[in-house]
Amino acid sequence: MTPFHRARRRRRGLGVLAALTGLLATLLLAGPAAATPDPDRDPTARTETSEDAGARTRAAIADGEIPGVDEIVHSDNITPLANIPREDGLTGTNSDIAFQGRYAFAGNYDGFVVYDISRPRSPRIVSQVLCPGAQNDISVSGDLLFLSVDSSRSDDSCASEAQPATEADSWEGIRVFDISDVRNPRYVSAVETACGSHTHTLVPERRDVYVYVSSYSPNATFPDCQPPHDGISIVKVPRNAPERAALSSFDVLFPDGGFPGDDDGSATTGCHDITAYPALDIAAGACMGDGILLDISRPEAPRVLDRVQDAEHFAFWHSATFSQDGRKIVFTDELGGGGAPTCNATIGDEFGANGIYHVRGRGDDRWLDFQSYYKIPRHQADTENCVAHNGSLIPVPGRDIMVQAWYQGGVSVWEFTDSDNPREIGYFERGPVNGDELAFGGAWSAYYYNGHVYSNDQKGLDVLRIDDRRTDPARWVRLSELNVQTQPTYR
């Protein structure tokens, strides 16, 4: 195969795109953390009153087609064990989760929360850290915790205030904390990166941690985010001296500029998210208009092995998950930026979905081969933001099973062992946050960790148990640490 090729995909008329539903204004609901495509090219844009959406939602609830407002429903094999509402201190959007030992570290636009999850039925809050900076994407490694800041701040401190990106002294990037005492996390250092840090990925070495920083959308009026922005920043953090964290390099991944964008798909101006599989020396990048496979055998110098595009179905390449053997990758499309109602019959099952790819070949001749799409089979209301979002593998030997958040579509457990015929095998969801008008809510991240599913929902931390013969073997797998974007080898 050539180094770049267009993915094989199902062909269908572009007329479907003209009928896609949504509201242009909803793209702004999730604030800076929403992976918002260019509104001029967003296929969810249409003119519709909130009264229309509300009327359809109320009718669907009355007919029993969807749950009532905030009503909890789930499949028989899913048991909700706990919900820990967020306390008054952190009122921003709940975002990603990382795990270490008996603790879960949950990001929030206002900072992060540390939960003791040693008793999954009764988690408790250990500490809360107020440190505003959307989206506070979060990872942990040993005694270190990392936060992504993708909103312009007056400085790098936790006392900073929002400030326009057009001002030269504005700050965005990576913050580093010492969590050797989880009851009192300590802010250690910060590194400014071009265009900030929307998300980040750890590639830990013994002495240092390499942080791949994903960011995008440069603008000539932003002094610290100038076009072209065709790669990722790499930050090096010495484990024994995290105060010396510094920018190592900016690596160009798209020397040709990447996907230029069209009527339906976003132009590539950086990456949204990267998932590394350090044991196999590979990574997968979801980069707006491109999906990429990387060789990371030299963490400080990643190399692109293959690029794919799916302009017909993918509006915004958002995130990636490897199968256990590393021979499959699930890429997600965040159609509508996470703020639009894209899980309905009008949009259909191939938009705002997952794309399943096989990794073919060996060595430098590896390439990505499209197989099929997966989207939750439960239609959501027109007042519910819903789209494919963050998830992780459920580590079952010999099977490919994933748990995944879909915002107000809830949490889906689905199997792609047969890549051509993926199917849902369990779910948990709440009814609409609002039955009258479109409102942001739902699960940002849903991950499997040491026997349970943990979801960072806008209503707080949900803990779920799945009882199913297909997933039961995963109960024997125990990890000491989990950052989903640094995928482990399960044993």
Side-chain angles (χ1 to χ4, degrees):
M1 299 295 292
T2 60
F4 165 70
H5 66 280
R6 189 173 291 270
R8 175 177 66 84
R9 57 187 186 269
R10 299 174 187 168
R11 306 297 300 178
R12 60 187 287 180
L14 294 179
V16 174
L17 295 180
L20 298 184
T21 66
L23 289 172
L24 179 57
T26 68
L27 298 180
L28 303 177
L29 285 174
T36 54
D38 184 336
D40 293 335
R41 291 190 301 272
D42 180 47
T44 65
R46 73 172 182 183
T47 56
E48 178 192 62
T49 67
S50 59
E51 288 81 3
D52 292 337
R56 286 195 299 274
T57 297
R58 292 190 295 272
I61 292 173
D63 291 343
E65 297 174 4
I66 63 170
V69 173
D70 284 338
E71 179 186 357
I72 290 176
V73 295
H74 55 86
S75 57
D76 291 342
N77 57 358
I78 299 288
T79 303
L81 298 182
N83 172 265
I84 307 300
R86 51 184 169 185
E87 297 185 349
D88 294 337
L90 304 180
T91 59
T93 300
N94 282 339
S95 56
D96 215 359
I97 320 173
F99 303 89
Q100 187 180 86
R102 67 181 190 179
Y103 300 106
F105 301 81
N108 177 285
Y109 279 30
D110 290 332
F112 64 93
V113 184
V114 182
Y115 295 92
D116 183 331
I117 55 172
S118 55
R119 300 175 61 192
R121 287 185 176 273
S122 53
R124 62 183 183 87
I125 294 176
V126 176
S127 59
Q128 291 191 145
V129 174
L130 182 63
C131 197
Q135 58 186 19
N136 277 337
D137 190 54
I138 191 166
S139 296
V140 294
S141 182
D143 288 339
L144 302 179
L145 179 147
F146 305 84
L147 288 181
S148 281
V149 179
D150 191 28
S151 60
S152 295
R153 313 295 301 177
S154 56
D155 57 53
D156 63 5
S157 74
C158 287
S160 65
E161 298 180 350
Q163 180 170 293
T166 52
E167 297 189 19
D169 64 346
S170 292
W171 183 91
E172 300 178 64
I174 290 287
R175 289 172 173 152
V176 184
F177 288 77
D178 182 319
I179 54 169
S180 53
D181 181 358
V182 295
R183 295 166 298 179
N184 295 288
R186 181 172 58 89
Y187 186 20
V188 175
S189 62
V191 179
E192 185 171 15
T193 55
C195 299
S197 174
H198 194 73
T199 66
H200 68 267
T201 303
L202 305 187
V203 185
E205 298 286 294
R206 294 181 66 181
R207 297 179 58 183
D208 304 308
V209 179
Y210 288 93
V211 186
Y212 291 176
V213 177
S214 295
S215 56
Y216 53 92
S217 294
N219 190 299
T221 67
F222 299 165
D224 300 323
C225 184
Q226 291 286 299
H229 184 72
D230 48 13
I232 59 172
S233 298
I234 300 180
V235 172
K236 182 179 178 181
V237 185
R239 287 191 183 278
N240 295 329
E243 68 278 3
R244 297 208 308 263
L247 183 66
S248 173
S249 65
F250 183 88
D251 275 49
V252 174
L253 302 179
F254 303 97
D256 65 350
F259 181 60
D262 61 16
D263 291 341
D264 309 311
S266 297
T268 297
T269 59
C271 289
H272 178 275
D273 210 343
I274 293 173
T275 295
Y277 202 149
L280 298 179
D281 286 335
I282 55 176
C287 303
M288 303 182 73
D290 291 271
I292 59 175
L293 178 66
L294 295 165
D295 180 313
I296 58 169
S297 54
R298 295 177 57 211
E300 73 282 5
R303 292 187 301 116
V304 176
L305 298 174
D306 193 28
R307 277 172 57 193
V308 289
Q309 298 170 354
D310 186 352
E312 185 178 345
H313 290 96
F314 266 45
F316 193 97
W317 295 69
H318 174 273
S319 54
T321 302
F322 285 97
S323 60
Q324 290 190 60
D325 62 6
R327 303 302 295 178
K328 299 179 183 179
I329 302 174
V330 175
F331 286 103
T332 67
D333 171 28
E334 196 180 36
L335 173 68
T342 71
C343 298
N344 52 38
T346 305
I347 287 183
D349 59 3
E350 294 183 350
F351 301 91
N354 297 319
I356 302 169
Y357 287 75
H358 283 184
V359 179
R360 308 290 192 189
R362 309 179 78 174
D364 286 351
D365 193 32
R366 282 171 286 187
W367 50 282
L368 298 169
D369 183 16
F370 172 77
Q371 303 300 303
S372 67
Y373 299 102
Y374 168 76
K375 192 171 183 179
I376 56 173
R378 296 165 286 108
H379 288 156
Q380 305 297 305
D382 288 339
T383 63
E384 293 181 285
N385 62 306
C386 175
V387 75
H389 217 239
N390 293 357
S392 76
L393 286 186
I394 297 180
V396 179
R399 303 184 87 133
D400 298 313
I401 301 177
M402 186 173 172
V403 60
Q404 186 176 10
W406 290 75
Y407 284 112
Q408 287 193 69
V411 175
S412 176
V413 179
W414 62 286
E415 182 167 7
F416 59 104
T417 305
D418 179 354
S419 299
D420 291 327
N421 297 286
R423 62 194 182 99
E424 185 171 71
I425 62 176
Y427 69 91
F428 167 88
E429 68 165 297
R430 292 179 173 87
V433 171
N434 189 315
D436 296 319
E437 60 184 5
L438 180 61
F440 180 79
W444 179 290
S445 302
Y447 299 145
Y448 186 92
Y449 178 70
N450 292 354
H452 293 84
V453 172
Y454 298 89
S455 171
N456 207 14
D457 192 277
Q458 304 316 307
K459 292 187 176 296
L461 182 74
D462 284 322
V463 184
L464 312 174
R465 189 185 71 225
I466 179 167
D467 298 289
D468 191 292
R469 60 178 178 76
R470 292 163 290 194
T471 60
D472 286 346
R475 294 178 179 176
W476 301 101
V477 177
R478 287 292 181 269
L479 299 174
S480 59
E481 190 172 273
L482 176 63
N483 301 296
V484 168
Q485 286 75 31
T486 307
Q487 198 164 314
T489 298
Y490 293 100
R491 292 183 174 85

